[in-house]
C-alpha cells in the first residue's frame, strides 16, 4: 500500500508516519528529512537547499522529485511507502504519478490531516526529536515517558529544527496554502482523498488513519 499524508507543517504527518513504520512495517519517505540529511552531509543538493529551507520556502521540484525517484528504487519501499511532505506542488504530484507508474506501483490513499492553522505554531514551536532515531516529541503534547530519555531507543540527546520558529512557520504555512492545498482536487478527481481530524489527540488521529487503511472508513 502506498499513501500520501497531506497537511500543513505541524499537522502530524511525521508523527503518524513513524507510527505506521513501527506498527505496519511501511516506510516513511520524508523529503524534509532527506533534505536535512543532505544539508548535514554538505552534498551539492544540501548546499543548494539550505537557504531555501531556512527561509521556509520550497526547494525546486526537480530536486525533490529526483530524490524521491532514487529512494523509490530502494527495495524496502516495496513494503509500502508513506509520502510525508511530498508532493507539495502540482508539478510534484504529476511527477509522483510518473515515478510510481514507471515502477508498476500506484497510490492507494491521500490522507488529508484537517487542522486549524492557529494551533500549528504551538505544535511546531514545541517540536523536538531524538537525535539518534528521529522519534518525534512535543514539549506539551508528547513528552518522553522518562524525562530526557527517548522512548524508542533510550538515547539522551534531542534536537530542534532551525526552521521551527514562529516567523518561518508562517511562511511555510503560506507556501502550503498557495502551492500544496491546490493539489487536493487533482487527487479528489481520482477518488483517493480521505480526511481525518488532525486536531484530535495523537492516538485518535492514528485510529482514524488505521480505519482508512483497514478499509473501515
Ligand atoms: P508534521 O510532520 O506534519 O510537520 P509532526 O508530526 O512533526 O508534524 O507534529 C508536529 C508536532 O506536534 C510534534 O511535536 C508532535 O509531537 C505534535 N503532534 C503531532 N500530532 C499531534 C496531535 N494530534 N495533537 C497534538 N500534538 C501533536
Ligand atoms: P518538512 O520537514 O516537510 O517540514 O520540510 C522542511 C523544508 O524542506 C520545507 O520548508 C522546504 O523548504 C523543504 N521541503 C521538504 N519537502 C519539500 C518538497 N516536497 N518540495 C519542496 N520543498 C520541500
Amino acid at each position: 500500500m502506498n499513501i500520501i499524508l497531506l497537511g500543513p507543517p505541524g499537522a502530524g504527518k511525521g508523527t503518524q508516519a513513524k507510527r505506521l513504520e513501527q506498527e505496519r512495517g511501511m516506510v516513511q519517505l520524508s523529503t524534509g528529512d532527506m533534505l536535512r540529511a543532505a544539508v548535514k552531509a554538505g552534498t551539492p543538493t544540501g548546499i543548494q537547499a539550505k537557504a531555501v529551507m531556512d527561509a521556509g520556502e520550497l526547494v525546486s521540484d526537480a530536486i525533490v522529485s529526483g530524490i524521491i525517484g532514487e529512494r523509490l528504487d530502494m527495495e524496502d519501499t516495496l513494503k509500502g511507502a508513506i509520502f510525508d511532505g511530498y508532493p507539495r506542488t502540482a508539478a510534484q504530484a504529476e511527477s509522483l504519478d510518473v515515478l510510481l507508474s514507471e515502477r508498476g506501483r500506484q497510490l492507494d490513499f491521500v490522507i488529508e490531516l484537517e487542522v486549524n492553522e492557529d494551533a500549528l505554531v504551538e505544535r511546531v514551536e514545541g517540536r523536538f526529536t531524538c537525535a539518534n532515531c528521529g522519534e518525534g516529541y512535543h514539549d506539551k503534547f508528547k513528552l518522553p515517558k522518562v524525562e530526557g530519555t527517548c522512548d524508542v531507543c533510550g538515547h539522551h540527546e534531542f534536537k530542534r529544527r532551525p526552521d521551527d520558529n514562529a516567523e518561518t512557520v508562517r511562511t511555510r504555512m503560506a507556501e502550503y496554502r498557495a502551492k500544496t492545498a491546490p493539489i487536493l482536487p487533482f487527487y479528489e478527481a481520482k477518488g483517493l482523498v480521505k480526511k481525518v481530524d488532525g486536531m484530535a489527540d495523537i492516538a485518535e488521529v492514528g485510529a482514524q488513519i488505521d480505519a482508512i487503511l483497514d478499509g473501515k472508513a
Side-chain angles (χ1 to χ4, degrees), residues 5-207:
L5 295 181
L6 198 72
K13 304 179 295 294
T15 301
Q16 297 299 332
K18 287 234 151 31
R19 184 188 64 82
L20 291 170
E21 279 197 326
Q22 288 156 11
E23 294 179 6
R24 296 188 181 236
M26 296 173 78
V27 180
Q28 176 191 21
L29 303 191
S30 157
T31 40
D33 284 351
M34 294 174 204
L35 290 166
R36 279 184 289 279
V39 170
K40 196 171 169 202
T43 66
T45 296
I47 291 164
Q48 219 181 316
K50 187 177 184 317
V52 179
M53 293 171 74
D54 285 344
E57 292 163 5
L58 293 188
V59 173
S60 82
D61 292 332
I63 287 182
V64 291
S65 292
I67 59 178
I68 282 286
E70 283 173 20
R71 189 67 186 84
L72 284 172
D73 284 333
M74 296 180 196
E75 209 166 297
D76 63 332
T77 59
L78 288 167
K79 292 189 287 185
I82 307 159
F83 295 97
D84 164 6
Y86 178 91
R88 262 177 155 96
T89 64
Q92 292 177 25
E94 280 163 24
S95 294
L96 179 59
D97 266 5
V98 174
L99 290 169
L100 288 171
S101 64
E102 281 172 350
R103 291 163 179 79
R105 298 186 223 172
Q106 61 180 36
L107 279 174
D108 295 283
F109 298 111
V110 175
I111 299 179
E112 183 192 3
L113 298 168
E114 291 188 297
V115 283
N116 170 357
E117 267 196 24
D118 295 338
L120 297 184
V121 174
E122 184 185 21
R123 279 211 196 161
V124 168
E125 283 195 309
R127 165 162 60 189
F128 62 99
T129 54
C130 171
N132 181 48
C133 73
E135 180 68 8
Y137 294 97
H138 191 277
D139 292 327
K140 190 163 150 191
F141 305 124
K142 190 188 166 199
L143 282 163
K145 293 190 180 80
V146 177
E147 195 185 336
T149 305
C150 176
D151 297 347
V152 175
C153 74
H155 197 79
H156 298 296
E157 280 163 77
F158 297 88
K159 59 184 182 184
R160 290 180 191 261
R161 287 169 44 176
D163 60 342
D164 276 351
N165 58 76
E167 192 194 331
T168 310
V169 172
R170 297 278 177 209
T171 308
R172 288 158 59 199
M173 276 177 201
E175 290 281 69
Y176 179 84
R177 242 180 279 122
K179 296 172 187 164
T180 309
I183 69 180
L184 270 164
F186 172 80
Y187 289 121
E188 270 157 2
K190 294 173 187 276
L192 293 175
V193 178
K194 299 275 184 184
K195 295 179 190 296
V196 304
D197 175 12
M199 296 312 297
D201 65 34
I202 293 174
E204 169 59 21
V205 176

